[in-house]
Amino acid sequence: MIKMFLRVSLFSLLVTLVQAEGLRGTGDMGIVIERATGSVLIIEHSSNTQLARVEGLGDLSHASAVFSRDARYAYIFGRDGGLTKIDLLTAKIVKRVMQSGNSIGGAISQDGQIVAVSNYKPGGVKLFAASDLAQLADIPATYEQNKQSKVIGLVDAPGQQFVFSLFDAGEIWLLDAKQSLSKPHIQKFSNIGKQPYDGLITPDGRYYLAGLFGEDGLALLDLWQAEKGAQHILPNYGKGQQKLPVYKMPHLEGWAEAGNYLFVPAVGQHAVLVIDKSNWQLVKTIPAHGQPIFVMSQPDQRRVWVNFALPNNDSLQIIDTFTLETLKTFKSGKGTLHMEFTPRGENVWVSVRDEDKLNIYDTATFELRASLPAHKPSGIFFTSRAHWTGL
């Protein structure tokens, strides 16, 4: 009886201390990029609230983020080459380094110890220690007698690897950081297609796909059989159709996997491509409301949500992944840029840049649950990404 009383008293004391200190977990937290002001909102999706704003992050016009293994720290990749580490609990910048002149994104290693950044200028990849952002390696993306290519589509892969594409060279590189950080092993795959513009790795970490801007089709690399090289798939998906002007290129891994299908935005078309992963053949071309930018799957993979480039960037379209038919298209607000699902998928957060707000929709009823103010919001990133490959 006395032992039970002591245990209860100790538990009550701990609860009181936690409440007094304001301690909390980070599992229901995230960040929102405020692109015009170089700031980041820290948010909580359990109660749909804003917690804090962090300023001084430079040019965030094309920013992305990854999280530390414990989901306490966010690493922000800015367009100006800035790499910033933020503490979500204190809402402060831990460290910021200017690592290049023009950056396009990054990734964090399987063990959470290495942050990799892909750069446009100078073209290449740099590796940093996640703990203090000390530079570990500089890998120039050189090709054809010391030309340097823009690097895009950088993702993490199992086995302390990173995969990325060289836009100008038409190559995919596989970087292995297991043996050496200062001089990691690089495996290069050439002639993958013209102008790869983005990359996706499947959630199991096996397949890396690069979209091709300079020609129809996709490049596919099976990391379980990398020695076989990259192959070209779907070379004729737009054959016989006139290409439309591309107002905004799909990016930031804006493709979706649901069951055995991949849902991919068709560049220069008003369509979403459905690809069967078992044979990499086109199953269906779903007509879209406009030129799709992001095609994102709910966590249960039952539906995918699509947003669009100008002039249709005020709408969302929802596709049923079982019937492969459009369920609903509705107006979400001017400048609908990015979407992020809560970890179990009950809600989706949507940035509405031109109306300075975040809309939160119920994924079952499509009803608007809440709206929060934000300064020209773009990317939304929840800490659940800390435990997913390729995000």
Side-chain angles (χ1 to χ4, degrees):
M1 187 72 178
I2 295 175
K3 289 182 179 180
M4 181 179 295
F5 174 80
L6 289 175
R7 284 199 296 269
V8 172
S9 298
L10 180 58
F11 177 76
S12 299
L13 177 61
L14 287 172
V15 170
T16 301
L17 287 172
V18 167
Q19 291 174 341
E21 293 295 324
L23 299 179
R24 59 157 298 150
T26 61
D28 63 349
M29 294 175 70
I31 63 169
V32 178
I33 303 295
E34 296 184 310
R35 58 186 291 157
T37 53
S39 54
V40 166
L41 279 181
I42 298 177
I43 55 88
E44 176 197 281
H45 54 70
S46 288
S47 57
N48 296 337
T49 55
Q50 298 178 8
L51 301 178
R53 174 176 282 111
V54 182
E55 299 178 328
L57 279 76
D59 183 356
L60 298 183
S61 59
H62 192 294
S64 61
V66 296
F67 295 96
S68 60
R69 192 178 186 129
D70 61 4
R72 176 171 179 174
Y73 301 100
Y75 300 88
I76 317 295
F77 309 99
R79 190 58 186 261
D80 57 3
L83 169 60
T84 308
K85 181 178 180 179
I86 291 177
D87 187 332
L88 299 182
L89 294 180
T90 64
K92 294 181 179 179
I93 293 176
V94 177
K95 189 168 183 180
R96 174 172 166 80
V97 297
M98 296 301 296
Q99 56 83 43
S100 77
N102 192 332
S103 181
I104 202 66
I108 191 164
S109 62
Q110 185 178 36
D111 67 359
Q113 300 300 308
I114 306 167
V115 177
V117 190
S118 59
N119 294 315
Y120 270 12
K121 183 180 180 180
V125 169
K126 289 185 179 180
L127 304 183
F128 296 87
S131 57
D132 59 3
L133 299 190
Q135 183 170 314
L136 304 172
D138 184 357
I139 302 102
T142 54
Y143 72 105
E144 290 183 4
Q145 299 177 344
N146 294 324
K147 292 181 182 178
Q148 274 189 267
S149 171
K150 301 180 184 70
V151 170
I152 50 80
L154 171 65
V155 299
D156 59 282
Q160 290 295 92
Q161 298 183 107
F162 296 99
V163 195
F164 50 92
S165 297
L166 278 61
F167 178 84
D168 304 290
E171 297 181 354
I172 294 174
W173 288 14
L174 178 60
L175 185 159
D176 189 331
K178 287 194 300 291
Q179 303 303 321
S180 173
L181 289 178
S182 59
K183 294 183 179 180
H185 179 262
I186 305 289
Q187 192 172 0
K188 302 178 182 180
F189 304 91
S190 303
N191 302 315
I192 66 161
K194 296 178 182 178
Q195 297 177 320
Y197 66 83
D198 191 21
L200 164 80
I201 193 167
T202 52
D204 59 6
R206 177 172 181 177
Y207 297 104
Y208 178 83
L209 294 101
L212 302 176
F213 186 68
E215 60 182 283
D216 291 334
L218 305 172
L220 170 69
L221 179 63
D222 183 350
L223 298 183
W224 293 7
Q225 306 177 81
E227 68 280 359
K228 293 185 176 180
Q231 59 177 301
H232 199 195
I233 62 172
L234 271 66
N236 298 313
Y237 76 78
K239 190 174 182 179
Q241 300 180 36
Q242 182 178 356
K243 282 286 187 181
L244 298 169
V246 177
Y247 296 102
K248 188 174 177 67
M249 207 184 293
H251 64 293
L252 294 177
E253 303 157 13
W255 309 350
E257 182 178 37
N260 201 42
Y261 294 145
L262 286 178
F263 293 79
V264 179
V267 176
Q269 303 291 332
H270 287 181
V272 173
L273 308 179
V274 184
I275 304 169
D276 188 332
K277 275 178 52 188
S278 66
N279 56 20
W280 301 106
Q281 297 298 310
L282 183 65
V283 174
K284 185 174 182 179
T285 299
I286 301 174
H289 179 64
Q291 289 194 55
I293 299 299
F294 291 102
V295 182
M296 296 190 68
S297 174
Q298 294 177 186
D300 63 2
Q301 301 187 0
R302 187 65 178 84
R303 298 164 179 159
V304 296
W305 294 54
V306 187
N307 70 343
F308 306 95
L310 284 167
N312 302 101
N313 66 343
D314 61 350
S315 301
L316 289 171
Q317 184 172 339
I318 303 163
I319 297 171
D320 187 306
T321 60
F322 182 70
T323 64
L324 303 183
E325 299 291 339
T326 296
L327 284 175
K328 187 178 182 65
T329 302
F330 66 95
K331 299 287 186 183
S332 48
K334 295 180 180 178
T336 293
L337 291 183
H338 295 271
M339 300 168 284
E340 183 81 337
F341 292 95
T342 50
R344 296 198 179 192
E346 74 281 2
N347 290 333
V348 61
W349 286 52
V350 178
S351 61
V352 187
R353 179 195 60 197
D354 297 346
E355 297 181 16
D356 292 311
K357 66 181 180 181
L358 300 162
N359 282 344
I360 304 167
Y361 294 97
D362 186 309
T363 55
T365 65
F366 313 135
E367 294 178 357
L368 181 65
R369 297 286 301 274
S371 285
L372 301 176
H375 301 322
K376 297 292 180 288
S378 56
I380 306 171
F381 306 90
F382 291 156
T383 55
S384 50
R385 288 173 173 252
H387 311 297
W388 299 342
T389 297
L391 293 177

